[in-house]
Amino acid sequence: MTTRKTPIEMSQEQFKALGYQLIDLIADFMGTIAHKRVTTGETATQLQKLLGNAPLPENGAPAEEILAHAADLLLNHSLLNGHPKFLGYITSSAAPIGALADLLAASVNPNVGAQILSPIATEIEKQTIRWLAEFIGVSPDYGGILVSGGNMANFTAFVTAITAKAPENYREEGLANTPAKLVAYCSKTTHAWIEKAAILFGLGSKSVRWIPTDAANKMDVDALEQTIQNDLKNNCSPIMVVATAGDVSTGAVDNLRAIAAICKTYDLWFHVDGAYGIPAAVVPELATLFDGIKEADSIALDPHKWLYSPLEAGCTLVKNPQHLLNTYSFHHDYYNFDNQGDERVHNYYEYGMQNSRGFRALKVWLALQQVGRRGYEAMIREDIELAKLLFAESNKHPELEAITQGLSITTLRYIPLHYVPHDEDGEEYLNILNEALLNKLQQGGEVFVSNAMVMKKYCLRACVVNFRTTRGDVSETIGIIVNEGRKMHQKLENNQLYLATQRQQ
Ligand SMILES: *Cc1c(COP(=O)(O)O)cnc(C)c1O
């Protein structure tokens, strides 16, 4: 048999040789990650120089060379969210088995849009969805779909809620014949996805009712009910309430039980955005925090956050998966996807927005097996303990103010010793100081934290979704923050003096 000769094919021997070389480099990278800097602090201009500005390649190049080049660029010029002192935003360390899973998935390349194109992959995704439902403590009869992340998981549920609850037939009529304005409710801490959703799906951002929060950053449930009643009086049509289970700034979990009851009273869709926090429901002593989750009509969660999947993996779970089909399922002549003998066909293109779909379930499915429920329970509990340790150590330190602690998120700020307020309430300077400190820390490469505004205070925010972080990393982080805080205060003080003398002249 002759084989066709193309520039893209690789021989078995070549694939092995290149693959082994690459795996060696990656293993070395993972094994030494703790000794590297979290970021190199290189500027975009420096990186562009490194990359060069060659035009589109006219002719091909040896795979060995370009792979080695790509590995050098990525392994040596990236921000390392797998570093034990990466504590910023909510981007977790990625499970090594996820990297192998992605390689395997890409090698077979099933298209998990249709069952006939991905026979075993579809079954694996179905099992993954069932396990995720069990993981967070809802009925395994929830159905759903894996998507690219939390935003997409929330969008997928948002449209489903409108289809289910809009007074007119949204699927056929859109919003054209809707006499009453459709409105959605969420707390002030809700992630920015909801504005995008309101815009994308035609409601407009004014249709989002931002409900105030209480002292613990949870949705004020009385205010929620008041707002719904006002809207009903004013010819609006309430559709859904979005509860947050682990808000991005402080880790607060809304009172799911109370919100579920309100949704029942007013016949609203109850959606829970648990993109970050809901996996913590696997920890038995935290179960009461998530009481009411079983009532959710839909839930968004992000395996690429606290389940440590490499990007991208999000998930929408829906109590009655028929609602997903009611929203997304269409049948066209050019699909011959429904003929699988007597068995019920499960085509994922009918459950969400994508048509062709990659096999992102594999990395989630493998990690769930490698670690098991108990393993995740222990890792998530330890992440929370480390965040609590950071809070306690900050509290003890004379130059730090510990501000909030929720799930695995701690916020704190630097306050100089014997600080004499520069302005009326002393807050303005502290906000300037801590913002400058944050920028310094993020460039410095010793530790990576992010920021949060809490009660008008500019805070440093550490979120531990990192199985590599240790107690030692937490104490070293305190040391780095205080050290850099002192230097930044000095620098700003000198500036102030300089500015003051300038003003006097
Ligand atoms: C991270 C997060 C999102 C967005 O998820 P992506 O995966 O970044 O798209 C939405 N809501 C909450 C509560 C989150 O923590």
Side-chain angles (χ1 to χ4, degrees), residues 90 148-154 189-193 244-248 273-277 300 302 304-305 311 313-314 461:
I90 312 180
S148 58
N151 265 32
M152 284 302 294
N154 285 306
T189 67
T190 304
H191 188 277
W193 70 264
T244 295
D247 93 274
V248 286
D273 178 6
Y276 154 56
D302 248 352
H304 70 206
K305 287 179 174 170
L311 295 162
R461 168 189 169 287

mmCIF file of all heavy atoms in Angstrom, residues 90 148-154 189-193 244-248 273-277 300 302 304-305 311 313-314 461, ligand 1:
data_model
loop_
_atom_site.group_PDB
_atom_site.id
_atom_site.type_symbol
_atom_site.label_atom_id
_atom_site.label_comp_id
_atom_site.label_asym_id
_atom_site.label_seq_id
_atom_site.Cartn_x
_atom_site.Cartn_y
_atom_site.Cartn_z
ATOM 1 N N ILE A 90 -8.816 33.233 40.086
ATOM 2 C CA ILE A 90 -9.186 31.852 40.422
ATOM 3 C C ILE A 90 -8.710 30.995 39.263
ATOM 4 O O ILE A 90 -9.487 30.525 38.432
ATOM 5 C CB ILE A 90 -10.701 31.671 40.637
ATOM 6 C CG1 ILE A 90 -11.247 32.769 41.558
ATOM 7 C CG2 ILE A 90 -10.977 30.282 41.226
ATOM 8 C CD1 ILE A 90 -12.735 32.681 41.835
ATOM 9 N N SER A 148 -16.703 25.679 27.903
ATOM 10 C CA SER A 148 -15.321 26.152 28.012
ATOM 11 C C SER A 148 -14.985 26.745 29.370
ATOM 12 O O SER A 148 -13.816 26.837 29.736
ATOM 13 C CB SER A 148 -15.056 27.193 26.923
ATOM 14 O OG SER A 148 -15.975 28.255 27.047
ATOM 15 N N GLY A 149 -15.991 27.173 30.137
ATOM 16 C CA GLY A 149 -15.680 27.778 31.423
ATOM 17 C C GLY A 149 -16.925 28.296 32.103
ATOM 18 O O GLY A 149 -18.052 28.011 31.673
ATOM 19 N N GLY A 150 -16.714 29.087 33.157
ATOM 20 C CA GLY A 150 -17.821 29.574 33.965
ATOM 21 C C GLY A 150 -18.744 30.511 33.192
ATOM 22 O O GLY A 150 -19.964 30.443 33.328
ATOM 23 N N ASN A 151 -18.174 31.401 32.407
ATOM 24 C CA ASN A 151 -19.032 32.301 31.642
ATOM 25 C C ASN A 151 -19.974 31.509 30.743
ATOM 26 O O ASN A 151 -21.182 31.723 30.755
ATOM 27 C CB ASN A 151 -18.182 33.250 30.785
ATOM 28 C CG ASN A 151 -17.934 34.583 31.471
ATOM 29 O OD1 ASN A 151 -17.847 34.637 32.713
ATOM 30 N ND2 ASN A 151 -17.832 35.646 30.715
ATOM 31 N N MET A 152 -19.425 30.583 29.992
ATOM 32 C CA MET A 152 -20.254 29.808 29.069
ATOM 33 C C MET A 152 -21.246 28.935 29.831
ATOM 34 O O MET A 152 -22.383 28.731 29.381
ATOM 35 C CB MET A 152 -19.377 28.947 28.158
ATOM 36 C CG MET A 152 -18.695 29.717 27.046
ATOM 37 S SD MET A 152 -19.851 30.592 25.966
ATOM 38 C CE MET A 152 -20.689 29.211 25.218
ATOM 39 N N ALA A 153 -20.840 28.420 30.987
ATOM 40 C CA ALA A 153 -21.750 27.580 31.776
ATOM 41 C C ALA A 153 -22.943 28.411 32.241
ATOM 42 O O ALA A 153 -24.094 27.970 32.195
ATOM 43 C CB ALA A 153 -21.009 26.977 32.965
ATOM 44 N N ASN A 154 -22.670 29.658 32.663
ATOM 45 C CA ASN A 154 -23.753 30.532 33.096
ATOM 46 C C ASN A 154 -24.619 30.970 31.912
ATOM 47 O O ASN A 154 -25.835 31.010 32.010
ATOM 48 C CB ASN A 154 -23.177 31.751 33.826
ATOM 49 C CG ASN A 154 -22.701 31.411 35.239
ATOM 50 O OD1 ASN A 154 -23.462 30.869 36.043
ATOM 51 N ND2 ASN A 154 -21.449 31.714 35.544
ATOM 52 N N THR A 189 -22.466 41.081 44.251
ATOM 53 C CA THR A 189 -21.162 40.419 44.137
ATOM 54 C C THR A 189 -21.085 39.543 42.884
ATOM 55 O O THR A 189 -20.047 38.945 42.624
ATOM 56 C CB THR A 189 -20.877 39.510 45.346
ATOM 57 O OG1 THR A 189 -21.803 38.419 45.309
ATOM 58 C CG2 THR A 189 -21.015 40.246 46.660
ATOM 59 N N THR A 190 -22.192 39.446 42.140
ATOM 60 C CA THR A 190 -22.226 38.516 40.999
ATOM 61 C C THR A 190 -21.164 38.872 39.956
ATOM 62 O O THR A 190 -20.909 40.042 39.682
ATOM 63 C CB THR A 190 -23.634 38.507 40.363
ATOM 64 O OG1 THR A 190 -24.559 38.182 41.395
ATOM 65 C CG2 THR A 190 -23.745 37.498 39.245
ATOM 66 N N HIS A 191 -20.579 37.848 39.424
ATOM 67 C CA HIS A 191 -19.505 37.957 38.431
ATOM 68 C C HIS A 191 -20.003 38.684 37.166
ATOM 69 O O HIS A 191 -21.191 38.640 36.835
ATOM 70 C CB HIS A 191 -19.045 36.541 38.092
ATOM 71 C CG HIS A 191 -17.832 36.469 37.227
ATOM 72 N ND1 HIS A 191 -17.898 36.582 35.861
ATOM 73 C CD2 HIS A 191 -16.538 36.291 37.538
ATOM 74 C CE1 HIS A 191 -16.698 36.457 35.358
ATOM 75 N NE2 HIS A 191 -15.847 36.285 36.352
ATOM 76 N N ALA A 192 -19.090 39.294 36.454
ATOM 77 C CA ALA A 192 -19.414 40.135 35.291
ATOM 78 C C ALA A 192 -20.112 39.383 34.159
ATOM 79 O O ALA A 192 -20.649 40.015 33.241
ATOM 80 C CB ALA A 192 -18.124 40.769 34.766
ATOM 81 N N TRP A 193 -20.159 38.054 34.208
ATOM 82 C CA TRP A 193 -20.799 37.317 33.109
ATOM 83 C C TRP A 193 -22.234 37.771 32.891
ATOM 84 O O TRP A 193 -22.732 37.757 31.757
ATOM 85 C CB TRP A 193 -20.770 35.801 33.359
ATOM 86 C CG TRP A 193 -21.670 35.332 34.475
ATOM 87 C CD1 TRP A 193 -21.302 35.114 35.777
ATOM 88 C CD2 TRP A 193 -23.073 35.021 34.405
ATOM 89 N NE1 TRP A 193 -22.388 34.702 36.510
ATOM 90 C CE2 TRP A 193 -23.484 34.631 35.694
ATOM 91 C CE3 TRP A 193 -24.021 35.026 33.387
ATOM 92 C CZ2 TRP A 193 -24.788 34.257 36.006
ATOM 93 C CZ3 TRP A 193 -25.341 34.654 33.694
ATOM 94 C CH2 TRP A 193 -25.708 34.280 34.987
ATOM 95 N N THR A 244 -25.103 33.201 44.102
ATOM 96 C CA THR A 244 -23.676 32.924 43.948
ATOM 97 C C THR A 244 -23.212 32.013 45.081
ATOM 98 O O THR A 244 -23.499 32.277 46.240
ATOM 99 C CB THR A 244 -22.872 34.242 43.953
ATOM 100 O OG1 THR A 244 -23.242 35.003 42.804
ATOM 101 C CG2 THR A 244 -21.377 33.980 43.896
ATOM 102 N N ALA A 245 -22.522 30.936 44.706
ATOM 103 C CA ALA A 245 -21.965 30.034 45.718
ATOM 104 C C ALA A 245 -20.449 30.158 45.660
ATOM 105 O O ALA A 245 -19.774 29.392 44.976
ATOM 106 C CB ALA A 245 -22.426 28.602 45.470
ATOM 107 N N GLY A 246 -19.950 31.176 46.356
ATOM 108 C CA GLY A 246 -18.528 31.480 46.345
ATOM 109 C C GLY A 246 -18.253 32.659 45.433
ATOM 110 O O GLY A 246 -17.957 32.477 44.255
ATOM 111 N N ASP A 247 -18.397 33.885 45.971
ATOM 112 C CA ASP A 247 -18.187 35.043 45.094
ATOM 113 C C ASP A 247 -16.692 35.276 44.899
ATOM 114 O O ASP A 247 -15.874 34.924 45.755
ATOM 115 C CB ASP A 247 -18.905 36.288 45.638
ATOM 116 C CG ASP A 247 -18.030 37.143 46.507
ATOM 117 O OD1 ASP A 247 -17.948 36.863 47.712
ATOM 118 O OD2 ASP A 247 -17.404 38.089 45.986
ATOM 119 N N VAL A 248 -16.358 35.883 43.763
ATOM 120 C CA VAL A 248 -14.953 35.960 43.370
ATOM 121 C C VAL A 248 -14.106 36.834 44.297
ATOM 122 O O VAL A 248 -12.910 36.608 44.422
ATOM 123 C CB VAL A 248 -14.773 36.467 41.922
ATOM 124 C CG1 VAL A 248 -15.157 35.391 40.945
ATOM 125 C CG2 VAL A 248 -15.555 37.725 41.673
ATOM 126 N N ASP A 273 -24.661 30.136 40.560
ATOM 127 C CA ASP A 273 -23.326 30.268 39.973
ATOM 128 C C ASP A 273 -22.312 29.793 41.012
ATOM 129 O O ASP A 273 -21.937 30.526 41.914
ATOM 130 C CB ASP A 273 -23.049 31.720 39.570
ATOM 131 C CG ASP A 273 -21.640 31.885 38.998
ATOM 132 O OD1 ASP A 273 -20.949 30.858 38.821
ATOM 133 O OD2 ASP A 273 -21.243 33.031 38.726
ATOM 134 N N GLY A 274 -21.893 28.542 40.831
ATOM 135 C CA GLY A 274 -20.909 27.965 41.741
ATOM 136 C C GLY A 274 -19.589 27.739 41.025
ATOM 137 O O GLY A 274 -18.848 26.817 41.370
ATOM 138 N N ALA A 275 -19.312 28.578 40.029
ATOM 139 C CA ALA A 275 -18.134 28.361 39.172
ATOM 140 C C ALA A 275 -16.898 28.087 40.013
ATOM 141 O O ALA A 275 -16.158 27.134 39.760
ATOM 142 C CB ALA A 275 -17.918 29.561 38.260
ATOM 143 N N TYR A 276 -16.702 28.926 41.019
ATOM 144 C CA TYR A 276 -15.548 28.716 41.897
ATOM 145 C C TYR A 276 -15.886 27.798 43.079
ATOM 146 O O TYR A 276 -15.213 26.794 43.304
ATOM 147 C CB TYR A 276 -15.049 30.068 42.404
ATOM 148 C CG TYR A 276 -14.318 30.043 43.734
ATOM 149 C CD1 TYR A 276 -13.190 29.235 43.936
ATOM 150 C CD2 TYR A 276 -14.755 30.830 44.804
ATOM 151 C CE1 TYR A 276 -12.531 29.215 45.159
ATOM 152 C CE2 TYR A 276 -14.087 30.818 46.019
ATOM 153 C CZ TYR A 276 -12.983 30.005 46.206
ATOM 154 O OH TYR A 276 -12.346 29.986 47.407
ATOM 155 N N GLY A 277 -16.960 28.137 43.818
ATOM 156 C CA GLY A 277 -17.096 27.614 45.173
ATOM 157 C C GLY A 277 -17.805 26.297 45.364
ATOM 158 O O GLY A 277 -17.572 25.614 46.371
ATOM 159 N N ALA A 300 -23.871 26.357 37.591
ATOM 160 C CA ALA A 300 -22.634 26.475 36.822
ATOM 161 C C ALA A 300 -21.467 26.107 37.732
ATOM 162 O O ALA A 300 -21.422 26.558 38.879
ATOM 163 C CB ALA A 300 -22.457 27.901 36.310
ATOM 164 N N ASP A 302 -17.008 25.024 37.557
ATOM 165 C CA ASP A 302 -15.813 25.135 36.711
ATOM 166 C C ASP A 302 -14.768 24.094 37.114
ATOM 167 O O ASP A 302 -13.956 24.337 37.995
ATOM 168 C CB ASP A 302 -15.193 26.531 36.915
ATOM 169 C CG ASP A 302 -15.291 27.411 35.684
ATOM 170 O OD1 ASP A 302 -15.701 26.913 34.625
ATOM 171 O OD2 ASP A 302 -14.946 28.597 35.799
ATOM 172 N N HIS A 304 -12.146 23.677 35.749
ATOM 173 C CA HIS A 304 -10.800 24.259 35.603
ATOM 174 C C HIS A 304 -10.454 25.206 36.764
ATOM 175 O O HIS A 304 -9.405 25.835 36.733
ATOM 176 C CB HIS A 304 -10.587 24.887 34.219
ATOM 177 C CG HIS A 304 -11.333 26.144 33.911
ATOM 178 N ND1 HIS A 304 -11.648 26.504 32.624
ATOM 179 C CD2 HIS A 304 -11.821 27.137 34.673
ATOM 180 C CE1 HIS A 304 -12.300 27.656 32.616
ATOM 181 N NE2 HIS A 304 -12.416 28.064 33.855
ATOM 182 N N LYS A 305 -11.308 25.272 37.751
ATOM 183 C CA LYS A 305 -10.938 25.989 38.973
ATOM 184 C C LYS A 305 -10.607 24.970 40.058
ATOM 185 O O LYS A 305 -9.521 24.406 40.045
ATOM 186 C CB LYS A 305 -12.056 26.958 39.367
ATOM 187 C CG LYS A 305 -12.089 28.173 38.421
ATOM 188 C CD LYS A 305 -13.191 29.143 38.754
ATOM 189 C CE LYS A 305 -13.098 30.387 37.884
ATOM 190 N NZ LYS A 305 -14.290 31.232 38.020
ATOM 191 N N LEU A 311 -7.150 24.415 31.711
ATOM 192 C CA LEU A 311 -8.112 25.169 30.902
ATOM 193 C C LEU A 311 -8.295 24.419 29.582
ATOM 194 O O LEU A 311 -7.305 23.898 29.054
ATOM 195 C CB LEU A 311 -7.572 26.573 30.618
ATOM 196 C CG LEU A 311 -7.393 27.473 31.855
ATOM 197 C CD1 LEU A 311 -6.467 28.635 31.546
ATOM 198 C CD2 LEU A 311 -8.733 27.959 32.361
ATOM 199 N N ALA A 313 -12.381 23.994 31.023
ATOM 200 C CA ALA A 313 -13.452 23.072 31.392
ATOM 201 C C ALA A 313 -14.426 23.730 32.347
ATOM 202 O O ALA A 313 -14.093 24.020 33.496
ATOM 203 C CB ALA A 313 -12.891 21.794 32.015
ATOM 204 N N GLY A 314 -15.617 24.007 31.854
ATOM 205 C CA GLY A 314 -16.726 24.461 32.684
ATOM 206 C C GLY A 314 -17.857 23.464 32.538
ATOM 207 O O GLY A 314 -17.786 22.552 31.715
ATOM 208 N N ARG A 461 -5.617 40.139 47.568
ATOM 209 C CA ARG A 461 -6.519 38.997 47.675
ATOM 210 C C ARG A 461 -5.767 37.733 47.265
ATOM 211 O O ARG A 461 -5.195 37.670 46.177
ATOM 212 C CB ARG A 461 -7.713 39.228 46.751
ATOM 213 C CG ARG A 461 -8.595 38.038 46.523
ATOM 214 C CD ARG A 461 -9.580 38.380 45.426
ATOM 215 N NE ARG A 461 -10.300 37.221 44.950
ATOM 216 C CZ ARG A 461 -9.798 36.261 44.185
ATOM 217 N NH1 ARG A 461 -8.541 36.286 43.820
ATOM 218 N NH2 ARG A 461 -10.548 35.261 43.788
HETATM 219 C C1 LIG B 1 -14.572 32.350 37.531
HETATM 220 C C2 LIG B 1 -15.998 32.664 37.687
HETATM 221 C C3 LIG B 1 -16.800 32.919 36.578
HETATM 222 C C4 LIG B 1 -16.238 32.939 35.169
HETATM 223 O O1 LIG B 1 -15.707 31.704 34.852
HETATM 224 P P1 LIG B 1 -14.652 31.528 33.645
HETATM 225 O O2 LIG B 1 -14.280 30.110 33.752
HETATM 226 O O3 LIG B 1 -13.530 32.472 33.934
HETATM 227 O O4 LIG B 1 -15.370 31.869 32.406
HETATM 228 C C5 LIG B 1 -18.140 33.165 36.793
HETATM 229 N N1 LIG B 1 -18.650 33.177 38.035
HETATM 230 C C6 LIG B 1 -17.903 32.943 39.131
HETATM 231 C C7 LIG B 1 -18.533 32.956 40.480
HETATM 232 C C8 LIG B 1 -16.553 32.680 38.995
HETATM 233 O O5 LIG B 1 -15.804 32.429 40.070
#
